[in-house]
Amino acid sequence: MDQTLQPQLASELLAKQELIRATKGFMPPDEGAALAAALKGCDVSMDLPAVEIGSYTGLSTIYLGTAAQLQGRLLLSVDHHHGSQENQAGWEYHDPSLIDPVSGKMDTLYLFRRAMELAGLDDTVIIVVANSQSFAATFCTEIGFLFIDGGHGHDQAYSDYDSWVPKLAESGVLAIHDVFADPSLGGQAPYHLYQRSLGEGFQEIGAQGSLRVMRKGSA
Ligand code: SAH
Ligand code: MG
């Protein structure tokens, strides 16, 4: 991937450094910058929104939203905000401070909303509080860009792919996070989705850490 971020994108991200550092999440800065650059470089019609599956508290959304805002594209960020299996108590990526004391469930929505406000992205990011599959079933618009970073278990990840990838326009861009060829480094579902996309006519156009970026079709 071309690591030279467009100057405007680089300076916008630099201005958000403090917020990025203070936001909980699972997006290393080099991968976040590559994700933002991938969206900024996506030249499919700006009328077609970008979609993120897996908002959590907004770390990846700050990167994507900054790029989308510069493009004049809308970004829908989808999450039920109750956490994935690996975020629940007893699992590796659990953060007890994210439990709502009343419901006893994880709740990342208020932190996500706050992060979008602080990032100045309210005009760009549409917060969708929903199960990814239910929302996909009612969403009938083509999309220009798709970032899959929701539930990482096999069934959940495959169902995100099945629900959302068919909505990508020709030449649209698909980004997948947590792609690890080596099972000792992480779960294999995102890696399998990545391989599947290559077998279905996607061309790899970028990689950074565990992020993979593919374009639909040969263009
Ligand atoms: N992109 C974030 C991390 C996302 S963690 C970052 O880089 O920081 C994965 C998120 O997917 C969790 O917040 C979880 O609530 C959400 N998620 C898991 N399964 C989901 C589903 N079926 N529908 C909607 N959101 C889901
Ligand atoms: Mg991730």
Side-chain angles (χ1 to χ4, degrees), residues 70-87:
L70 287 172
Q71 283 188 307
R73 193 189 296 278
L74 287 174
L75 168 65
L76 287 82
S77 186
V78 184
D79 200 310
H80 50 44
H81 287 283
H82 288 318
S84 303
Q85 186 177 46
E86 56 270 26
N87 304 127

Side-chain angles (χ1 to χ4, degrees), residues 24-27 52-60 78-84 87 108 130-133 147 149-152 156 160 177:
K24 293 172 188 281
F26 309 102
M27 185 55 64
E52 170 180 58
I53 309 299
S55 327
Y56 198 61
T57 76
L59 183 54
S60 50
V78 184
D79 200 310
H80 50 44
H81 287 283
H82 288 318
S84 303
N87 304 127
T108 44
N131 177 280
S132 160
Q133 287 70 48
F147 177 48
D149 194 22
H152 288 33
Q156 186 58 49
D160 281 339
H177 198 224

Side-chain angles (χ1 to χ4, degrees), residues 9-215:
L9 180 56
S11 76
E12 290 275 338
L13 290 177
L14 194 62
K16 291 172 183 154
Q17 282 273 305
E18 283 308 309
L19 178 63
I20 285 172
R21 258 196 287 274
T23 303
K24 293 172 188 281
F26 309 102
M27 185 55 64
D30 59 336
E31 296 177 33
L35 182 62
L39 176 52
K40 185 70 169 54
C42 172
D43 54 11
V44 175
S45 165
M46 299 306 155
D47 293 340
L48 302 187
V51 172
E52 170 180 58
I53 309 299
S55 327
Y56 198 61
T57 76
L59 183 54
S60 50
T61 323
I62 295 173
Y63 288 104
L64 282 176
T66 300
Q69 194 173 52
L70 287 172
Q71 283 188 307
R73 193 189 296 278
L74 287 174
L75 168 65
L76 287 82
S77 186
V78 184
D79 200 310
H80 50 44
H81 287 283
H82 288 318
S84 303
Q85 186 177 46
E86 56 270 26
N87 304 127
Q88 307 302 324
W91 291 75
E92 187 180 355
Y93 296 102
H94 179 58
D95 179 343
S97 72
L98 297 177
I99 299 288
D100 174 348
V102 176
S103 70
K105 289 184 179 176
M106 262 194 69
D107 188 353
T108 44
L109 177 57
Y110 78 101
L111 286 175
F112 179 66
R113 186 171 185 163
R114 181 191 292 168
M116 294 305 101
E117 276 166 19
L118 292 174
L121 291 172
D122 275 346
D123 62 352
T124 296
V125 177
I126 299 177
I127 298 177
V128 182
V129 185
N131 177 280
S132 160
Q133 287 70 48
S134 318
F135 181 54
T138 60
F139 188 82
C140 305
T141 304
E142 267 196 316
I143 62 177
F145 183 98
L146 174 63
F147 177 48
I148 299 182
D149 194 22
H152 288 33
H154 176 280
D155 291 357
Q156 186 58 49
Y158 269 72
S159 126
D160 281 339
Y161 188 103
D162 288 335
S163 313
W164 287 99
V165 170
K167 299 184 194 297
L168 260 181
E170 190 65 17
S171 301
V173 172
L174 168 65
I176 302 178
H177 198 224
D178 304 304
V179 171
F180 297 108
D182 178 352
S184 71
L185 297 177
Q188 293 292 281
Y191 178 62
H192 291 150
L193 297 187
Y194 156 69
Q195 289 186 308
R196 180 176 163 187
S197 73
L198 298 180
E200 291 178 352
F202 280 80
Q203 311 292 320
E204 183 164 343
I205 56 170
Q208 181 70 38
S210 73
L211 179 74
R212 297 290 177 277
V213 183
M214 285 70 64
R215 185 193 291 267

